[in-house]
Amino acid sequence: MRLLNIFGDPHTRLLKKISPKIEEINKLESEIEKLSDSNLKDKTQELRDRIKKGQSLEDILPEAFALVREVAKRTLGQRHYDAQLLGGIILHHGKIAEMRTGEGKTLVATLPAYLNTLESKGVHIITVNDYLSRRDVVWMGQIYNFLGLIVSCINHEASYLYDPDFLKSDFKNEKSDFDNLDKERDEKGSFKVIHEFLRPCTRKEAYEADITYGTNNEFGFDYLRDNIAYDKNQVSQREHNFAVIDEVDSILIDEARTPLIISAPFAESEDFYVTFSRIADKLKEGDDYAVDEKLKAISLTDNGIEKAEKMLGVENIYTEKGIKYVHHLETAVRAKALFHKDKDYVVKNGEVMIVDEFTGRLMPGRRWSEGLHQAIEAKESVEIQKESRTFASVTFQNYFRMYKKLSGMTGTALTSAEEFFKVYNLETVSIPTNKPMIRKDLQDLVFQTEKGKFKAVVEKIKELNENGQPVLVGTVSIEKNEYLSALLKKEGIPHKVLNAKSHEEEGAIIAQAGSKRMVTVATNMAGRGVDVVLGGNPPDKKESEEVKSLGGLFVLGTERHEARRIDNQLRGRSGRQGDSGQTQFFVSLEDNLMRIFGPDRIKSMMQTFKIPEDQPIENKLVSRAIESAQTKIEGFNFDARNHLLKYDDVMNQHRNIIYERRKKILFGDNGYVLKTIEDIFKKREADFGVVEKKRQEMGDELFFNTQRQLLLQVMDMLWIEHLEIMDYIRSSVRLRAYGQRDPLIEYKNESLRLFKELEASINHTIVETMLRSESIMNEAQNTKQFRNLNLGIKNLSGHAKRNDPCPCGSGKKYKKCHGA
C-alpha cells in the first residue's frame, strides 16, 4: 500500500493522519478471523450497545470496518484493500473520495454504511440507475444480511427487500450460486439471480430498512410525494441522516441543472405549438434569427419578426398579441435551431424523450419546461402532450443538502472540487490506487475536418482490430454513434453499438468490451457503471494475458466533451487495477468544442500549412488550447448553476416552512391541530367559539379529521398558486437589470412580500371557509367523507380551478376572490 509514498500530493497530510486507523483495522484482522459466523453476527448488537453507553462512531470505526472486511471475505470472497479502507474512512467523515475506475467503489460503500447504521438511523446509498441499485443490493446485501441488517432498494416500478430465503419459498432448491454471479447473465446482460433474492415490499418498508439503495430521482420524488400526502400512512421517508452518492459528480453537478417536478395535466395544449412550429420552419438562420451557441440562445431579427407577423396576419406582434405570442415564436425557433434529434432527444414510440448529454442515457418522464417540450413535439409531428401544472418541485442541490451528513464517490471529482465545496461544503480527497496506474494517455490528434477525422478513426480501429486489441470508441451523440457504425459496416469491421436506443443490453455489451478483437462503439453511457474486464467477463485467463500483452483496452474518444470529467470517465474504462491500457482522443476543428471555443490561431495554423483533412497534427499547444476551452466552459456552467441555485435558495426557504407546517399538521395530535386553528382565528380576530360549537356537533374523530384535511388542502391550493407567481416573478425581474437594479435582490424582496401574502391568504381562507361553509361541514358529517372537502382540489393536486367557486363561500369565482 502506497499511502505514505505520495509526497507532493495535496492530501498527503490528511492521508497520513488517517493511516494509523488503517493499521488499527489491519491489527484486528487476525483476531476477527477466529470468530465463528454466529459470533460475528452478535457483534452488531454489541457495537450498538456500546454506542448507547456513550462510545462514538469514531471509537468503534476500526472494529466495525474489520468486521465488514471479514464478512466480505466469507460471503463474497473479496477482501477490502487498504485503499478501500481509506476510501471508507473518507466517506464516513462526510467527504468525497475520488477513486479510479476498477478500484471497487461498490465494496467501499459497505464500510461507512454499516458503521452509520449502528446508531439505528437509516443510510441511503444513491446509484445512477435502477439496474445498479438492484445489482448492488443483491451483491452487497449478503454482507449486510450476514451482520443482521435489513437492506432494501427502491426502483421506479417497485421496491424490494433483500431476502435470501425468498427463493427457497418460491423456487425450492434451485438457489443460484453467488460465486457465479458474473456468469449468471441473461441475453440482456441482467443478472438472473437478482429477482430471486428480492422480495417486493411497500415504499415505507423499503425506507424503514437499515440501508436503502436507489437512484437520486427516486429519493427526490419520494420526498416530494411525501409532502403532498393527505394521510400519514402514505409518507414513506424517515429522517435524512447519511447518504453515500455513487458517481457523485454526475448526480450533484450534471443532473443538478434540472429540478425534480411533480405535475399533472392542466389544460389541453393549444394549436399555438403547431402554428409556430410551421412559422419557425420557414425562418432562415442569419436572415431571420441569430444563434449564440456559447450561450445556447437565439435572437429574432427585425426581418424574422416581420415575416412571422405576416404569416400570423398581425401588424405588430408585441402590441396586438403580447408576450404569449412572442414567447411561443421564440420557443419554436429555439426548438428548431438548438435542439437536435438523436443528440438532445430521441423519438421513441411516438414520444419525444430527452437524452442526458452527460451520460447518453434516456430520461423517461422528464420534460423540458416553459413549452419547449411541446414545441419539439410539434416540430417532430408527434402527439403534443397536455400542458401541466406544478404541484411540487425541488432541485437536487437542495434535496441533498437536507442530509445531516453527505458523502460521495467518483473517478473524476478534482476538476469540480471548488463547486462541491461551495455548494455542498464537501471536501474532495484523491485516494491512491491499489496498484500503480500504467495506462498510457496519448496526445490528442487534431484534424481539419470532421470527415477527415472519422476516416482516420476507422483506419485506427481497423489497425487495432487486426492486431487483436479490444477498442472502446466513445461518441458524443447517438447521431455520431450511428454514423461511425455505418462507416465500420462499410469496411466490414464487426462491432457492437451501445447508445440510449440499445441501453437494455448495456451490461452485456460493456462486460465483453475487453475481449480480444472486440470493437464497441458507445455514447457517454459507457463511461460509468460496469467494469470493462480484459479477456471478457467472466475473464478467460489465457485471453486476458494475451490482451494485456497487446496493450490492454484501447479507448478512442472521437470528440472532446465540454466537461473534462466526462473525458476522464471515458479514459477511466481502461487501465483498471494496474492493467495495461491506452487512450487517445481524435478531434477536428469542426467539432463543437473547437468550432465554438477553439482559438483562431490553431485554425489559421492548419490552413497555412495546408494539412490534408485526414492528416493529424500532434501538438501540445493544441492540447493545452482544448483544456483551456474546457476549463472556461466548466467555469461558465458552474456560474450558471450557482446563479440558478441562489434563486432556488429563496424558494427553498418558503418550501421548508410550508412542508414543516404540513408535516406537523399531518402527524400532530388533536391538541396541536386545535391550537393551530385557534392561533389562525386569533390572527384574523375571528370568533373561535364557532369552531368549538362545530366540534361538539361533529364529535372529535370526524371534527379533527375534517379540520386536518381542510388545513392541508387550503395550504396546498394556495402554495401551488404561489409556485406559479414566484416562477412568473423570476422571469420578470430579469428585465429590471436594464434599470440598473440587481435582479436577485429584487427577487428576494418580491418573494418576501409574496410569502407574507401567502401566509395571510392561507389564514384568511381557512377562517372564511370554516365560518361560511356550513354545507361542507354537513356533507362531511353526513357522508363521513373528509378526503375532498369541495375545495376544488382534485387528484391530490391541491389545485383550485380559477373559474370554480371560491372555497371561502363568497359565491364569487376563485380568480375574482382569493385567487386574485
Side-chain angles (χ1 to χ4, degrees), residues 143-157:
I143 298 172
Y144 303 128
N145 182 259
F146 190 102
L147 287 163
L149 301 182
I150 297 169
V151 59
S152 66
C153 73
I154 50 170
N155 275 188
H156 186 60
E157 291 84 13

Side-chain angles (χ1 to χ4, degrees), residues 406-425:
L406 189 62
S407 65
M409 311 177 284
T410 180
T412 48
L414 282 178
T415 55
S416 300
E418 183 190 0
E419 184 162 356
F420 284 127
F421 190 74
K422 282 187 175 176
V423 175
Y424 303 97
N425 200 28

